[in-house]
């Protein structure tokens, strides 16, 4: 990477790491700690070039090598930041330490190297050295790639299951983190190619591209991480219900399983319809499967089954269909003309104009403005 650009980016990267660690909103605390650690690792990686340029790497070689460990820690730290975003209630397991086995082995090699630094070095064939370097580069590239892919799959799974329990997915949507994982994969590719072929030394364009990509990626991460709301605003027991529901939804054999008799399904479906039409819980912007299940006095798991089997929809589709039907009534009511279409969207439980317009057209086949023209023609 370009040393000048890296020197310019080091300060903001460190400051951003501190801001995320401070976490003023106290949202997604564990994930923020790990994400802050990831950005701090990027800071240490960027710090290497300036240290080399002023010669500190020669005077403090062990410190320089220790800082270099960030190259091996950064991938699992990024993975855990993703993991704790999608599973914030998750507890640390003993097996999690295995993710840091590779960096630990590298640390042992560094310690051994410095311990034996004064010993005479045995003669080693150049071919063996070249082969060792090649094997190490391949292993390192594979190591980085696997963590990037696994992080992307974690986000993909989370995004796919949002519709099961949330009615306003844009509030807890982690699409930005999915984009971050793609961005990190791109940066990691540039980084790995540089390590393998020394492209930064051969091309100033590649050096600038690599440095700018890293900096812009860090800015993107910081912006979204600082504005992200709490992902799972549920109690521990409610969270367990949701995780159980997600696991069962991914089990195709379980999805087809009949949980209750048809008579009971019809009764629960009728109760749900009565609740939606009389109390209108869908008007609550933050309505979740858990809260709706509490109002029916049944488990979220059973409610999800009733919605899927009784209506042929998921929770998100059901709630937003009712919201659109309510919006149609308000748009057609001339006494509600003092409300704009955006005002009506908020009134029926939507938090986003874009989601309201998209959902309205999907349900009715018309945009809200076109629908208003048909039900309230101009005189």
């Amino acid at each position: 990477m370009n040393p000048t650009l890296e020197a310019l980016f080091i300060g903001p990267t460190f400051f951003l790491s501190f801001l995320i660690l401070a976490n003023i909103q106290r949202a997604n605390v564990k994930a923020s700690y790990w994400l802050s650690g990831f950005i701090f690792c990027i800071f240490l990686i960027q710090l290497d070039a300036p240290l080399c340029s002023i010669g500190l790497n020669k005077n403090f070689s062990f410190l320089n090598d220790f800082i270099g460990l960030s190259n091996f820690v950064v991938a699992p730290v990024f993975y855990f930041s993703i993991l704790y975003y999608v599973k914030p209630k998750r507890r640390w397991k003993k097996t999690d330490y295995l993710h840091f086995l590779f960096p630990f082995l590298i640390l042992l090699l560094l310690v051994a190297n410095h311990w034996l630094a004064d010993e005479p070095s045995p003669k080693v064939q150049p071919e063996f050295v070249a082969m060792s370097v090649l094997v190490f580069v391949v292993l390192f590239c594979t190591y980085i790639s696997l963590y990037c892919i696994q992080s992307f799959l974690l986000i993909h799974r989370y995004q796919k299951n949002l519709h099961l329990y949330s009615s306003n997915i844009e509030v807890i949507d982690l699409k930005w983190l999915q984009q971050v994982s793609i961005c990190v994969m791109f940066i990691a590719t540039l980084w790995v190619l540089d390590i393998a072929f020394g492209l930064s030394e051969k091309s100033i364009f590649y050096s600038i591209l690599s440095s700018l990509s890293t900096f812009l990626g860090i800015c993107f991460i910081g912006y979204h991480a600082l504005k992200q709301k709490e992902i799972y605003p549920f109690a521990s027991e409610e969270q367990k219900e949701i995780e159980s529901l997600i696991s069962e939804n991914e089990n195709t054999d379980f999805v087809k399983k009949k949980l209750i008799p048809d008579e009971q399904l019809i009764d629960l479906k009728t109760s749900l319809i009565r609740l939606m039409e009389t109390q209108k819980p869908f008007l609550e912007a933050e309505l979740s499967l858990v809260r709706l299940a509490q109002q029916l006095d049944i488990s979220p798991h059973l409610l999800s089954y009733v919605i899927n089997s009784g209506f042929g929809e998921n929770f998100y589709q059901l709630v937003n269909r009712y919201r659109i039907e309510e919006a149609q009534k308000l748009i057609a009511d001339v006494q509600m003309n003092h409300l704009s279409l955006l005002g009506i969207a908020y009134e029926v439980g939507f938090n986003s104009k874009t989601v309201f317009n998209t959902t309205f057209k999907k349900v009715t086949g018309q945009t809200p403005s076109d629908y208003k023209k048909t039900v309230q023609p101009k005189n």
Side-chain angles (χ1 to χ4, degrees), residues 7 23 65 98 351 378:
N23 193 5
D65 289 340
L98 295 176
N351 277 333
K378 293 183 179 180

Side-chain angles (χ1 to χ4, degrees), residues 11 40 49 82 86 90 92 99 102 122 127 141 151 158 175 182 202 229 240 244 262 269 283 308 312 331 338 354:
F40 187 73
I82 300 289
V86 302
R90 179 185 184 275
W92 184 262
H99 289 276
F102 187 40
E127 295 80 5
C141 295
S151 299
Y158 171 86
K175 191 176 294 182
I182 296 173
K202 300 176 183 178
K229 294 183 179 180
K240 289 179 181 178
S244 174
D262 291 339
K269 179 180 176 181
L283 297 180
N308 294 336
I331 292 173
H338 64 282
T354 302

Side-chain angles (χ1 to χ4, degrees), residues 125-193:
Q125 295 294 327
E127 295 80 5
F128 178 78
V129 174
M131 181 59 67
S132 300
V133 171
L134 177 62
V135 170
F136 179 81
V137 168
V138 170
L139 287 175
F140 182 70
C141 295
T142 304
Y143 172 75
I144 296 294
S145 301
L146 287 176
Y147 272 106
C148 288
I149 293 170
Q150 185 62 26
S151 299
F152 178 82
L153 293 177
L154 278 174
I155 295 293
H156 178 73
R157 178 176 179 263
Y158 171 86
Q159 292 291 112
K160 186 177 67 174
N161 292 310
L162 278 179
H163 297 81
L164 294 176
Y165 58 87
S166 176
S167 63
N168 260 327
I169 61 175
E170 67 274 7
V171 176
I172 57 174
D173 187 274
L174 287 179
K175 191 176 294 182
W176 69 271
L177 204 52
Q178 194 171 37
Q179 295 168 349
V180 164
S181 65
I182 296 173
C183 177
V184 169
M185 290 175 71
F186 174 72
I187 293 172
T189 301
L190 294 176
W191 183 38
V192 164
L193 289 174

Side-chain angles (χ1 to χ4, degrees), residues 233-245:
F234 307 121
S236 297
E237 290 302 318
E238 295 172 342
Q239 177 58 37
K240 289 179 181 178
E241 289 269 12
I242 290 174
E243 290 181 355
S244 174
L245 179 64

Side-chain angles (χ1 to χ4, degrees), residues 9-48:
F9 298 160
I10 284 174
T13 302
F14 177 80
F15 183 62
L16 186 56
S17 173
F18 170 76
L19 284 179
I20 295 176
L21 180 65
N23 193 5
I24 298 174
Q25 297 187 65
R26 305 308 298 168
N28 311 302
V29 176
K30 291 182 181 179
S32 294
Y33 289 161
W34 284 100
L35 191 60
S36 173
F38 167 70
I39 297 179
F40 187 73
C41 286
I42 299 296
F43 160 74
L44 291 177
I45 291 170
Q46 293 175 328
L47 191 62
D48 181 64

